Amino acid sequence: MRLRPDSAVSEAANRSWWDFDAGDYHDEHAAFLGVDTASGEFVWCPEGLHEGDVGLLGDIADRDILEIGCGSAPCARWLRSQGARSVGLDVSAGMLARGRIAGRDDTSPVPLVQAGAEHLPFADASFDIACSAFGAVPFVADSARVMAEVARVLRPGGRWVFAVNHPMRWIFPDDPGPAGLTVAIPYFDRSPYVEVDDDGTVTYVEHHRTIGDRVREIRAAGLVLDDVIEPEWPEHLDREWGQWSPLRGQYFPGTAIFCCRTPD
């Protein structure tokens, strides 16, 4: 629907959505994400890019790291297994509860915090690194505020790396098959995708930003943008994930990863 939910409505809707959907989401995706492995895994995107292979966060040992929109926290758990002092934050109690189950046998459990990304409950300069693998950023009404909050809680020279659905995907139907190869929505139409129930209550919101919007939000927060990574679809991967598929991956990117830092 062509509504424009504000921050409070977006956060409430998505908290309820992910609380409700946590079970089904993990039935479908937990194995791919390594949720229930002994130390978790850090998979950046449906293309299967693993932090252990690409090292986008740099040296993580003995670093204070915040994962924003951690879901059930497989990434935060993997970071801790590599020597980081990681913390996971998510708006959904249901997703965090699943993370506590996954990490119940961890010798050093990851602290999990329930909060929205637009108001990070941490002091200034608390972390060396912040990251988000498809968490929080697409689901908030004020992503510029998220960038400013991340800049606030990072120390000088800190890294901020976040993965989102590639902005050009917005123009195509949410379909992994041939129908998903036909342009349907203007790229510059920033109306969010909204679902409502029978009473008109907003139940799910996803917000659209162009590449330029993202760059301007990053720069306005005082952050330095070092790179934008558009993972190619790997030949060996025949798995579909929602709108992501081998077919669509042949033609255009599904993910954009923004690599940023605070000035020294």
Side-chain angles (χ1 to χ4, degrees):
M1 297 187 65
R2 296 181 69 82
L3 304 174
R4 291 188 179 274
D6 62 14
S7 292
V9 172
S10 294
E11 182 172 312
N14 287 323
R15 180 189 299 112
S16 296
W17 174 271
W18 290 109
D19 284 349
F20 176 80
D21 194 56
D24 289 343
Y25 178 86
H26 283 88
D27 286 346
E28 186 173 358
H29 302 302
F32 182 79
L33 296 173
V35 171
D36 295 310
T37 61
S39 58
E41 298 290 352
F42 197 132
V43 180
W44 277 107
C45 51
E47 291 86 355
L49 204 67
H50 196 290
E51 174 61 18
D53 298 321
V54 295
L56 300 182
L57 301 181
D59 184 7
I60 59 176
D62 202 33
R63 299 291 195 273
D64 295 308
I65 305 180
L66 173 63
E67 184 187 4
I68 299 172
C70 68
S72 54
C75 299
R77 291 179 59 229
W78 182 85
L79 290 167
R80 185 155 286 231
S81 76
Q82 303 300 305
R85 293 181 296 272
S86 55
V87 176
L89 176 142
D90 200 273
V91 74
S92 166
M95 296 294 278
L96 293 174
R98 185 63 174 79
R100 285 192 291 273
I101 292 171
R104 62 185 178 274
D105 296 326
D106 290 355
T107 56
S108 179
V110 173
L112 299 176
V113 178
Q114 185 181 8
E118 291 166 284
H119 302 278
L120 299 177
F122 305 103
D124 296 357
S126 295
F127 297 96
D128 301 300
I129 300 168
C131 59
S132 186
F134 274 85
V137 177
F139 304 104
V140 299
D142 191 354
S143 51
R145 184 179 178 91
V146 176
M147 302 301 144
E149 278 288 273
V150 170
R152 179 183 65 80
V153 303
L154 281 178
R155 295 168 184 144
R159 294 197 184 198
W160 164 227
V161 182
F162 65 97
V164 294
N165 43 326
H166 197 289
M168 74 169 293
R169 282 291 177 104
W170 194 257
I171 70 178
F172 297 98
D174 193 6
D175 188 319
L181 301 177
T182 303
V183 171
I185 302 171
Y187 178 74
F188 297 105
D189 182 354
R190 293 167 178 82
S191 302
Y193 172 78
V194 181
E195 295 182 7
V196 300
D197 63 17
D198 292 339
D199 297 324
T201 301
V202 176
T203 59
Y204 178 90
V205 186
E206 190 168 338
H207 294 270
H208 171 54
R209 298 290 183 271
T210 67
I211 286 283
D213 292 339
R214 294 280 181 223
V215 171
R216 284 185 288 274
E217 290 180 351
I218 290 165
R219 296 287 294 160
L223 296 160
V224 178
L225 177 62
D226 288 325
D227 199 1
V228 180
I229 296 169
E230 301 164 299
E232 295 186 38
W233 192 270
E235 292 184 3
H236 69 274
L237 188 60
D238 59 2
R239 182 183 192 275
E240 291 186 357
W241 179 328
Q243 61 172 282
W244 283 264
S245 66
L247 173 63
R248 284 159 66 98
Q250 293 178 56
Y251 294 100
F252 44 80
T255 298
I257 305 176
F258 294 82
C259 302
C260 318
R261 58 183 166 85
T262 52
D264 293 329

